[in-house]
Amino acid sequence: MSDEMDLGPLEELIGVWSGDKGVDRVPEPQGANENPYNETITYVLVGNHKNADSQRLAVVRYHQEVIHQVSGAKIHDESGYWMWEAATGTVMNSIIIPRGVCVLAGGQFNGEFDESGKLVLAVESSLDHPHWNIVQSPFMQREARTTAFNRKLMVGNGQMKYAQSTKLEIYDKPFNHTDENELTRQ
């Protein structure tokens, strides 16, 4: 097996991205609220990793900061990794949110591109998924339980667009928390 790294679809992510068209639809006790936001996401190449001497992963680490446009307050901070297993066409996104929530989402990448020629990375996770799961603190399980997550990222030619959905059980009812934005590589 060669030590050459196959970044596959992750190669397009490397760099610093920023965008100011974000819309965050969040739960409130009496319904929902939409918040416009700015964000910066930094993707850094980590390298190749081997698991159990047979699985090879190309790994990119990221850090995302989301700032509320009106108040200037940070409303989201996220770190994690995107991983690519070329042998199986599997893409994975591990997500760490400092609210006591960790997500491992995955999917297949078969060379999918959108109508504008951007490659599409799509991952999902849920509490009952056999492979891609969610871990959360006792407080979050009780008060703001995440039951499912999906993220779709379209990237190419220095442009990125994403949409994601986090299914929650919060304020004694189900809620679909969504985020979307368009970013440009700096």
Side-chain angles (χ1 to χ4, degrees), residues 5-18:
M5 190 175 329
D6 177 1
L7 288 176
L10 303 185
E11 189 166 356
E12 288 285 340
L13 298 178
I14 307 298
V16 178
W17 299 79
S18 62

